[in-house]
Amino acid sequence: RAWAGGVGDPRRGPLALGPRGGRAAGAATASSDPLQSVDQDGLPVPSVKIDNMKDPFATIVKVKYGEYLEELLDTVAALKNLGLNIVRAKVAEDSKNTFYVTEKDTGEKVVLSERLEEIRMTIINNLLYYHPESKESLVAGRPRAGRSSDAASVGALGPRKKSPVSTRVKISEDQSGTRSQLDVITTDRPGLLVEIVRTLKDINVTVLSAEVDTVGLAAHDEFFITYHGEALSSTMQTLVVNALQYYLSRGEIEKEESY
């Protein structure tokens, strides 16, 4: 569920491997509502995690959806159709299906952020196709709010409809003192991780490593970042938080208006 490296163009530049540090004190946690494994009705919430850190030779893809999933032959086929080799696969006791994948052309692990996003969205769309009961728990499965000339459906001018997941952006200093940890929890949407990396790049913040989780409607991305090779000052922390809050909110508005 991770990738790492100095970031150039997030759509094309590779993300080189690097060591992962301990979790910073005070970082956002999944103990509250957005990232829980079951919803308010007690039904399982789909979870897709991409781990590009633990194995030096393969990208680890984990998929969990209660006890609905078995051998996930459909997921195997979807990953192969993306030009990936599945070098190993296993099903854990907690019904989490794990795949170790490499690029078919090179035999190397996946290092492009755009490619990681392609894998993530392919698995989510696969869940929606083979397990339509998951659609209420995934942003991609929810109906788009189309425009209507019906005044009753449009409603009076006022605050936008509240997002399924409240956006939270938090920065804390890593235990090493040489970098900062950025935690972002927000409503999931296609292209989200590429958008976050691009926003950080625009303000000259370097992403050293990151982990990416999709749990139902929520995305939880954790980044280790620096500014000119050092941990972020309080002024830079404020700048990063404000920039991400702005661009993530703007992205939600543009998504709604595009429908």
Side-chain angles (χ1 to χ4, degrees):
R1 64 181 221 184
W3 79 93
V7 179
D9 184 341
R11 295 168 294 177
R12 295 185 291 179
L15 300 165
L17 294 178
R20 182 191 172 194
R23 187 177 182 88
T29 66
S31 59
S32 55
D33 50 310
L35 301 168
Q36 57 190 4
S37 59
V38 295
D39 64 16
Q40 59 186 2
D41 297 320
L43 299 175
V45 174
S47 171
V48 179
K49 300 184 180 183
I50 299 178
D51 183 337
N52 210 20
M53 194 70 70
K54 292 180 181 177
D55 191 299
F57 305 111
T59 298
I60 305 172
V61 179
K62 298 182 179 181
V63 187
K64 184 177 181 181
Y65 184 35
E67 297 180 355
Y68 288 95
L69 307 180
E70 296 178 356
E71 294 181 357
L72 274 187
L73 297 178
D74 48 298
T75 301
V76 171
L79 292 173
K80 288 185 175 180
N81 287 338
L82 286 177
L84 298 169
N85 284 327
I86 300 176
V87 296
R88 185 153 57 102
K90 64 180 181 179
V91 179
E93 293 181 358
D94 60 358
S95 300
K96 181 178 290 184
N97 294 266
T98 304
F99 303 90
Y100 294 74
V101 301
T102 60
E103 294 282 11
K104 186 176 181 179
D105 293 341
T106 64
E108 302 290 336
K109 64 195 306 178
V110 182
V111 294
L112 298 178
S113 60
E114 186 179 44
R115 187 78 161 130
L116 293 171
E117 178 71 359
E118 183 180 24
I119 293 171
R120 188 180 74 90
M121 290 307 303
T122 295
I123 293 174
I124 288 175
N125 289 328
N126 212 57
L127 278 170
L128 292 171
Y129 182 81
Y130 288 97
H131 301 277
E133 66 275 9
S134 68
K135 66 180 181 179
E136 290 301 320
S137 299
L138 292 166
V139 169
R142 292 198 163 190
R144 295 179 174 180
R147 296 181 182 272
S148 173
S149 59
D150 185 350
S153 65
V154 173
L157 292 177
R160 294 186 300 117
K161 183 178 179 181
K162 187 176 181 181
S163 177
V165 179
S166 297
T167 296
R168 285 180 268 167
V169 181
K170 184 174 182 179
I171 300 178
S172 56
E173 188 171 319
D174 182 45
Q175 295 175 354
S176 67
T178 61
R179 58 187 181 178
S180 300
Q181 177 170 331
L182 166 66
D183 283 85
V184 180
I185 297 178
T186 191
T187 302
D188 183 39
R189 61 177 178 264
L192 177 63
L193 67 92
V194 175
E195 179 183 344
I196 292 174
V197 170
R198 184 185 296 119
T199 300
L200 294 172
K201 174 180 176 290
D202 287 344
I203 53 178
N204 297 316
V205 171
T206 301
V207 176
L208 301 177
S209 63
E211 296 185 354
V212 181
D213 285 2
T214 303
V215 183
L217 302 176
H220 183 197
D221 297 350
E222 302 177 19
F223 304 86
F224 288 109
I225 57 178
T226 61
Y227 180 67
H228 294 312
E230 299 179 350
L232 275 63
S233 65
S234 59
T235 301
M236 276 304 300
Q237 289 185 22
T238 300
L239 175 62
V240 170
V241 170
N242 289 344
L244 287 174
Q245 288 280 11
Y246 171 75
Y247 283 107
L248 291 173
S249 298
R250 191 182 71 170
E252 289 178 357
I253 295 173
E254 289 176 348
K255 180 181 177 184
E256 291 174 358
E257 292 180 345
S258 68
Y259 296 158

